[in-house]
Amino acid sequence: GGCRRGSRFRVGRQILALILSLGTLSSSGYTSLMACLRGYAALFYSFGLLCPSTAAVAGGTLQKISGDLDFMHSSVTHSNLGGLGPDAGPDYLLFTKVMRTVEGGFIDLRVTALNDYSAAVPKRNGVKPDGDFRVINMRSGTSTDFEFSLLNSQTGEPAVIDRFHFSVFDFDTGKREVEFVIASNFSEYVVPNYTTLVIASDKRTGGTQFTATARADGNDNPTLPGKLTKEQMARTVTFLYEKTSTFHITYGIAGKGSPRNMLFSGRSMLVPSSEPTNVSTTTTTANPTITTTSTTATSTTTSSTTTTMTTTTTTTANTTTTTTT
C-alpha cells in the first residue's frame, strides 16, 4: 500500500538494464521500452495507482520531496560554467543534494549557460564562503540566459518537483553598473511592498524583468536568506515554481564597470514557512505584464491583462500578504 507501489517502475527499469547488459536487448529497444514504461506510469499515476514520488510525468519523473529547495547542505561537485573552469569536462555548474526526497534520496541542481557567458573570476562560481547563498560571477556589460535543471542524484534523470521556491538577492547598482534578472515559467513572484526593484515585462523572453535602482556596496550584503534587514528584503525577489524540473533565469549587468555576483538561494524571508516576519509583500501570479510607476517606498503595479483583477489582503501572525491574481 501507499508509496511502496511507486517502486515497481524502478524495479522494471533495473530489469531492463540487466537485460541490456546481457546483450539480449539493443540500446534502441531499451529506449523504446523505457518510453512505454514512462507512458504507462503516467497513466497509472493519473488514476492514483502510483505514488507521486516516483510517477513518470512530462519532462521527467515526479519526485515527492521533504521541504523546499535548500542549499545549506549542498556541495559544488563540478564547476565549469560556460566552459570557463576552474574544472575541466562538461560545461555546467552542479550543486548536489539541494533537496531530499521522502524516500531518502537526493535531488541535484545543474546550471547551464545557454548563450555567451563571461566571468571575471570563474572560481567564485558556486558556494559563497560567508553565508548560505550560491553565486554566479559575471562581468559587467554582459548578460546570460541560464537553465537550472533539477536531477535525480542517483539516476541523473530530470526530477519534476511539485512546488519549490527560488530567490535572488542583493539587486543593487554601482557607479556605472545596474543589475537585472529576467525570469520566466514561474507560477508567482513575491517582493516586499517597499521593493526598490523596477518590474516590467521582457519582450525577448516573454518573462518578467527585475532591475535594481538602489545604490549599495559590499558592506550591506546579506549573509543568511532567513535573516535579512529591511533594506536587503527590498532588493530581493522570490519565485514559486510548480510541477517542473527546469526553470530559466537571465542575469545581466548593464553598463561597464566592476564585475558582479548573482546571489541566489531557495526560500527567503519573503515567503516564511511558519515564523512571523512583519513583512508586507505583494505576490503576483502567472507572468503578467507589469508596469512599475514608483520605485521608492511603495511600488505600484498595473496588470495589462484583460481578466478581472482581484486583490486579497490577509493578516496572520503579524505577517501581511497582498495577493494579486
Side-chain angles (χ1 to χ4, degrees), residues 92-107:
Y92 57 71
L93 178 64
L94 183 65
F95 300 95
T96 59
K97 300 182 179 181
V98 299
M99 295 181 185
R100 181 185 290 271
T101 69
V102 295
E103 296 178 337
F106 292 97
I107 304 297

Side-chain angles (χ1 to χ4, degrees), residues 191-197 230 234 280 282 292-301:
V191 297
N193 289 341
Y194 47 85
T195 182
T196 58
L197 305 178
K230 183 176 180 179
S280 181
T282 297
T292 300
T293 57
S294 173
T295 58
T296 54
T298 303
S299 181
T300 302
T301 59

Side-chain angles (χ1 to χ4, degrees), residues 120-190:
V121 190
K123 67 180 181 180
R124 289 185 180 175
N125 289 336
V127 179
K128 189 173 185 293
D130 57 346
D132 183 27
F133 293 100
R134 298 301 176 260
V135 172
I136 292 178
N137 179 260
M138 283 192 65
R139 292 185 183 276
S140 61
T142 67
S143 67
T144 301
D145 301 329
F146 296 103
E147 181 177 77
F148 292 74
S149 303
L150 294 162
L151 309 171
N152 183 292
S153 292
Q154 184 177 7
T155 66
E157 294 183 340
V160 177
I161 307 300
D162 189 62
R163 179 184 176 93
F164 64 94
H165 294 90
F166 180 84
S167 303
V168 184
F169 304 81
D170 199 36
F171 285 84
D172 51 35
T173 68
K175 291 182 179 179
R176 295 178 296 275
E177 318 89 56
V178 177
E179 289 183 283
F180 66 89
V181 157
I182 302 170
S184 58
N185 74 301
F186 53 81
S187 296
E188 64 184 35
Y189 67 84
V190 183

